Short mmCIF file of all heavy atoms in Angstrom, two decimals:
data_model
loop_
_atom_site.label_atom_id
_atom_site.label_comp_id
_atom_site.label_asym_id
_atom_site.label_seq_id
_atom_site.Cartn_x
_atom_site.Cartn_y
_atom_site.Cartn_z
N HIS A 1002 65.85 -49.40 85.49
CA HIS A 1002 65.75 -48.14 84.72
C HIS A 1002 66.28 -46.93 85.48
O HIS A 1002 66.56 -45.88 84.91
CB HIS A 1002 64.31 -47.86 84.39
CG HIS A 1002 63.86 -48.47 83.09
ND1 HIS A 1002 63.53 -49.82 82.97
CD2 HIS A 1002 63.66 -47.99 81.88
CE1 HIS A 1002 63.26 -50.05 81.70
NE2 HIS A 1002 63.30 -48.96 81.02
N GLY A 1003 66.31 -47.02 86.85
CA GLY A 1003 66.41 -45.81 87.66
C GLY A 1003 67.65 -45.57 88.35
O GLY A 1003 68.47 -46.47 88.58
N SER A 1004 67.82 -44.37 88.76
CA SER A 1004 68.87 -43.90 89.64
C SER A 1004 68.18 -42.96 90.67
O SER A 1004 67.08 -42.54 90.51
CB SER A 1004 70.00 -43.18 88.92
OG SER A 1004 69.51 -42.03 88.25
N ASP A 1005 68.91 -42.69 91.74
CA ASP A 1005 68.31 -42.00 92.87
C ASP A 1005 67.74 -40.59 92.50
O ASP A 1005 66.73 -40.08 93.03
CB ASP A 1005 69.26 -41.79 93.96
CG ASP A 1005 69.59 -43.14 94.69
OD1 ASP A 1005 68.97 -44.13 94.33
OD2 ASP A 1005 70.48 -43.14 95.59
N ASP A 1006 68.41 -39.97 91.51
CA ASP A 1006 67.98 -38.57 91.21
C ASP A 1006 66.66 -38.54 90.37
O ASP A 1006 66.07 -37.46 90.18
CB ASP A 1006 69.06 -37.85 90.48
CG ASP A 1006 69.51 -38.53 89.15
OD1 ASP A 1006 68.94 -39.61 88.83
OD2 ASP A 1006 70.28 -38.02 88.46
N LEU A 1007 66.12 -39.72 89.95
CA LEU A 1007 64.86 -39.72 89.20
C LEU A 1007 63.74 -39.43 90.07
O LEU A 1007 62.68 -38.83 89.66
CB LEU A 1007 64.69 -41.11 88.58
CG LEU A 1007 65.48 -41.38 87.31
CD1 LEU A 1007 65.22 -42.76 86.82
CD2 LEU A 1007 65.29 -40.36 86.22
N VAL A 1008 63.76 -39.84 91.36
CA VAL A 1008 62.62 -39.58 92.31
C VAL A 1008 63.30 -39.06 93.60
O VAL A 1008 63.81 -39.74 94.35
CB VAL A 1008 61.92 -40.90 92.68
CG1 VAL A 1008 60.77 -40.64 93.67
CG2 VAL A 1008 61.30 -41.51 91.42
N GLY A 1009 63.14 -37.73 93.71
CA GLY A 1009 63.84 -37.03 94.82
C GLY A 1009 63.14 -37.20 96.14
O GLY A 1009 61.89 -37.30 96.25
N LEU A 1010 63.95 -37.18 97.19
CA LEU A 1010 63.45 -37.25 98.59
C LEU A 1010 64.11 -36.13 99.47
O LEU A 1010 64.41 -36.32 100.58
CB LEU A 1010 63.70 -38.58 99.23
CG LEU A 1010 62.88 -39.76 98.67
CD1 LEU A 1010 63.36 -41.13 99.30
CD2 LEU A 1010 61.35 -39.49 98.97
N ASP A 1011 64.33 -34.94 98.80
CA ASP A 1011 64.85 -33.82 99.58
C ASP A 1011 63.77 -33.28 100.42
O ASP A 1011 62.63 -32.91 99.98
CB ASP A 1011 65.33 -32.78 98.58
CG ASP A 1011 65.80 -31.53 99.30
OD1 ASP A 1011 66.92 -31.56 99.80
OD2 ASP A 1011 65.04 -30.49 99.40
N PRO A 1012 64.00 -33.10 101.73
CA PRO A 1012 62.92 -32.71 102.66
C PRO A 1012 62.43 -31.29 102.31
O PRO A 1012 61.13 -31.11 102.40
CB PRO A 1012 63.60 -32.70 104.05
CG PRO A 1012 65.11 -32.76 103.79
CD PRO A 1012 65.28 -33.43 102.43
N GLY A 1013 63.25 -30.34 101.97
CA GLY A 1013 62.73 -29.00 101.64
C GLY A 1013 61.92 -29.02 100.38
O GLY A 1013 60.90 -28.39 100.25
N GLU A 1014 62.36 -29.69 99.39
CA GLU A 1014 61.64 -29.77 98.09
C GLU A 1014 60.31 -30.39 98.23
O GLU A 1014 59.26 -30.02 97.66
CB GLU A 1014 62.51 -30.55 97.07
CG GLU A 1014 61.83 -30.62 95.65
CD GLU A 1014 60.88 -31.79 95.54
OE1 GLU A 1014 61.15 -32.84 96.09
OE2 GLU A 1014 59.86 -31.64 94.82
N LEU A 1015 60.21 -31.48 99.11
CA LEU A 1015 58.88 -32.08 99.34
C LEU A 1015 57.92 -31.13 100.00
O LEU A 1015 56.76 -31.10 99.63
CB LEU A 1015 59.12 -33.35 100.22
CG LEU A 1015 59.74 -34.56 99.45
CD1 LEU A 1015 60.29 -35.57 100.51
CD2 LEU A 1015 58.70 -35.20 98.50
N VAL A 1016 58.43 -30.40 100.97
CA VAL A 1016 57.53 -29.39 101.58
C VAL A 1016 57.05 -28.36 100.64
O VAL A 1016 55.85 -28.02 100.54
CB VAL A 1016 58.32 -28.71 102.83
CG1 VAL A 1016 57.54 -27.49 103.32
CG2 VAL A 1016 58.48 -29.69 103.94
N ARG A 1017 58.00 -27.87 99.79
CA ARG A 1017 57.65 -26.83 98.78
C ARG A 1017 56.59 -27.40 97.81
O ARG A 1017 55.64 -26.70 97.33
CB ARG A 1017 58.85 -26.30 98.07
CG ARG A 1017 59.79 -25.51 98.94
CD ARG A 1017 60.83 -24.80 98.15
NE ARG A 1017 61.74 -25.76 97.49
CZ ARG A 1017 62.82 -26.28 98.06
NH1 ARG A 1017 63.13 -26.00 99.32
NH2 ARG A 1017 63.63 -27.05 97.42
N THR A 1018 56.75 -28.65 97.42
CA THR A 1018 55.87 -29.29 96.46
C THR A 1018 54.48 -29.52 97.06
O THR A 1018 53.45 -29.24 96.43
CB THR A 1018 56.35 -30.69 96.00
OG1 THR A 1018 57.63 -30.54 95.33
CG2 THR A 1018 55.42 -31.41 95.12
N ALA A 1019 54.41 -29.86 98.30
CA ALA A 1019 53.12 -29.99 98.98
C ALA A 1019 52.42 -28.68 99.00
O ALA A 1019 51.13 -28.54 98.80
CB ALA A 1019 53.28 -30.50 100.41
N VAL A 1020 53.14 -27.54 99.39
CA VAL A 1020 52.58 -26.22 99.37
C VAL A 1020 52.06 -25.79 98.08
O VAL A 1020 50.91 -25.30 97.87
CB VAL A 1020 53.57 -25.24 99.97
CG1 VAL A 1020 53.08 -23.84 99.81
CG2 VAL A 1020 53.84 -25.55 101.42
N ALA A 1021 52.86 -26.01 97.04
CA ALA A 1021 52.47 -25.59 95.67
C ALA A 1021 51.30 -26.39 95.13
O ALA A 1021 50.49 -25.86 94.44
CB ALA A 1021 53.70 -25.74 94.80
N SER A 1022 51.21 -27.67 95.49
CA SER A 1022 50.17 -28.49 94.95
C SER A 1022 48.83 -28.30 95.56
O SER A 1022 47.79 -28.58 95.02
CB SER A 1022 50.58 -29.98 94.97
OG SER A 1022 50.71 -30.38 96.41
N THR A 1023 48.82 -27.74 96.80
CA THR A 1023 47.54 -27.53 97.52
C THR A 1023 47.17 -26.09 97.56
O THR A 1023 46.00 -25.78 97.82
CB THR A 1023 47.66 -28.04 98.94
OG1 THR A 1023 48.71 -27.34 99.65
CG2 THR A 1023 47.97 -29.58 99.02
N GLY A 1024 48.10 -25.17 97.37
CA GLY A 1024 47.86 -23.74 97.53
C GLY A 1024 47.71 -23.33 98.96
O GLY A 1024 47.22 -22.28 99.27
N LEU A 1025 48.16 -24.15 99.90
CA LEU A 1025 48.11 -23.94 101.33
C LEU A 1025 49.53 -23.92 101.97
O LEU A 1025 50.39 -24.52 101.38
CB LEU A 1025 47.27 -25.01 101.96
CG LEU A 1025 45.83 -25.26 101.44
CD1 LEU A 1025 45.24 -26.53 102.02
CD2 LEU A 1025 44.98 -24.03 101.85
N ASP A 1026 49.69 -23.20 103.02
CA ASP A 1026 51.03 -23.12 103.62
C ASP A 1026 51.01 -23.31 105.09
O ASP A 1026 52.05 -23.09 105.76
CB ASP A 1026 51.73 -21.87 103.18
CG ASP A 1026 50.98 -20.60 103.68
OD1 ASP A 1026 50.02 -20.79 104.42
OD2 ASP A 1026 51.42 -19.50 103.33
N ASP A 1027 49.91 -23.59 105.80
CA ASP A 1027 49.90 -23.80 107.19
C ASP A 1027 49.81 -25.24 107.58
O ASP A 1027 48.85 -25.93 107.36
CB ASP A 1027 48.60 -23.03 107.71
CG ASP A 1027 48.50 -23.07 109.28
OD1 ASP A 1027 49.43 -23.61 109.89
OD2 ASP A 1027 47.57 -22.53 109.86
N PHE A 1028 50.98 -25.72 108.09
CA PHE A 1028 51.03 -27.10 108.47
C PHE A 1028 50.60 -27.39 109.95
O PHE A 1028 50.71 -28.48 110.46
CB PHE A 1028 52.52 -27.65 108.34
CG PHE A 1028 52.94 -27.85 106.93
CD1 PHE A 1028 53.62 -26.79 106.30
CD2 PHE A 1028 52.70 -28.98 106.26
CE1 PHE A 1028 54.09 -26.95 104.95
CE2 PHE A 1028 53.12 -29.17 104.95
CZ PHE A 1028 53.84 -28.18 104.26
N GLY A 1029 50.12 -26.32 110.60
CA GLY A 1029 49.77 -26.37 112.02
C GLY A 1029 51.03 -26.30 112.90
O GLY A 1029 52.10 -25.91 112.48
N ALA A 1030 50.90 -26.72 114.14
CA ALA A 1030 52.00 -26.60 115.08
C ALA A 1030 53.24 -27.38 114.56
O ALA A 1030 53.12 -28.43 113.95
CB ALA A 1030 51.59 -27.17 116.46
N ASP A 1031 54.42 -26.88 114.83
CA ASP A 1031 55.68 -27.45 114.25
C ASP A 1031 56.14 -28.67 114.93
O ASP A 1031 57.29 -29.07 114.82
CB ASP A 1031 56.78 -26.43 114.24
CG ASP A 1031 56.60 -25.33 113.20
OD1 ASP A 1031 55.83 -25.64 112.18
OD2 ASP A 1031 57.19 -24.29 113.20
N THR A 1032 55.27 -29.32 115.75
CA THR A 1032 55.73 -30.50 116.50
C THR A 1032 56.22 -31.63 115.51
O THR A 1032 57.02 -32.50 115.96
CB THR A 1032 54.57 -31.06 117.37
OG1 THR A 1032 53.38 -31.28 116.48
CG2 THR A 1032 54.18 -30.06 118.42
N TRP A 1033 55.73 -31.66 114.34
CA TRP A 1033 56.01 -32.69 113.44
C TRP A 1033 57.39 -32.53 112.76
O TRP A 1033 57.99 -33.57 112.36
CB TRP A 1033 54.98 -32.68 112.22
CG TRP A 1033 55.01 -31.42 111.44
CD1 TRP A 1033 54.46 -30.26 111.77
CD2 TRP A 1033 55.71 -31.22 110.15
NE1 TRP A 1033 54.63 -29.30 110.86
CE2 TRP A 1033 55.43 -29.88 109.83
CE3 TRP A 1033 56.42 -32.02 109.37
CZ2 TRP A 1033 55.91 -29.32 108.67
CZ3 TRP A 1033 56.95 -31.38 108.16
CH2 TRP A 1033 56.69 -30.11 107.86
N ARG A 1034 57.94 -31.34 112.72
CA ARG A 1034 59.09 -31.09 111.92
C ARG A 1034 60.37 -31.79 112.38
O ARG A 1034 61.05 -32.36 111.49
CB ARG A 1034 59.36 -29.59 111.81
CG ARG A 1034 60.47 -29.17 110.72
CD ARG A 1034 60.03 -29.58 109.32
NE ARG A 1034 61.07 -29.64 108.42
CZ ARG A 1034 61.16 -28.88 107.29
NH1 ARG A 1034 60.24 -28.02 107.09
NH2 ARG A 1034 62.18 -28.95 106.51
N PRO A 1035 60.69 -31.86 113.68
CA PRO A 1035 61.79 -32.66 114.03
C PRO A 1035 61.79 -34.08 113.67
O PRO A 1035 62.75 -34.71 113.17
CB PRO A 1035 61.87 -32.48 115.57
CG PRO A 1035 61.11 -31.24 115.88
CD PRO A 1035 60.05 -31.19 114.86
N HIS A 1036 60.60 -34.74 113.76
CA HIS A 1036 60.46 -36.12 113.34
C HIS A 1036 60.62 -36.29 111.83
O HIS A 1036 61.22 -37.26 111.39
CB HIS A 1036 59.07 -36.66 113.77
CG HIS A 1036 58.63 -36.27 115.14
ND1 HIS A 1036 59.46 -36.47 116.25
CD2 HIS A 1036 57.45 -35.69 115.65
CE1 HIS A 1036 58.79 -36.02 117.32
NE2 HIS A 1036 57.60 -35.54 116.93
N TYR A 1037 60.08 -35.38 111.11
CA TYR A 1037 60.15 -35.34 109.61
C TYR A 1037 61.61 -35.24 109.20
O TYR A 1037 62.02 -36.05 108.33
CB TYR A 1037 59.38 -34.18 109.13
CG TYR A 1037 59.50 -33.86 107.63
CD1 TYR A 1037 58.72 -34.68 106.68
CD2 TYR A 1037 60.38 -32.91 107.17
CE1 TYR A 1037 58.90 -34.30 105.32
CE2 TYR A 1037 60.45 -32.62 105.80
CZ TYR A 1037 59.71 -33.38 104.88
OH TYR A 1037 59.79 -33.08 103.56
#
C-alpha cells in the first residue's frame, strides 16, 4: 500500500512533532544530537 512519503523520517520534523505533542522543548544537554 505504501511509499516512503506516507511515513516521514525527517529529523527536523520528528523533533518538532515531539515538541508539539508534549508541550515541552527542553531535550537536556545536546550530547544526543550528533548521534541522532
Side-chain angles (χ1 to χ4, degrees):
H1002 272 75
S1004 59
D1005 290 356
D1006 58 357
L1007 287 178
V1008 179
L1010 290 173
D1011 176 78
E1014 182 272 325
L1015 285 162
V1016 168
R1017 292 190 296 273
T1018 298
V1020 168
S1022 63
T1023 60
L1025 303 167
D1026 61 7
D1027 184 1
F1028 288 95
D1031 283 341
T1032 53
W1033 62 280
R1034 190 62 197 240
H1036 316 311
Y1037 172 82

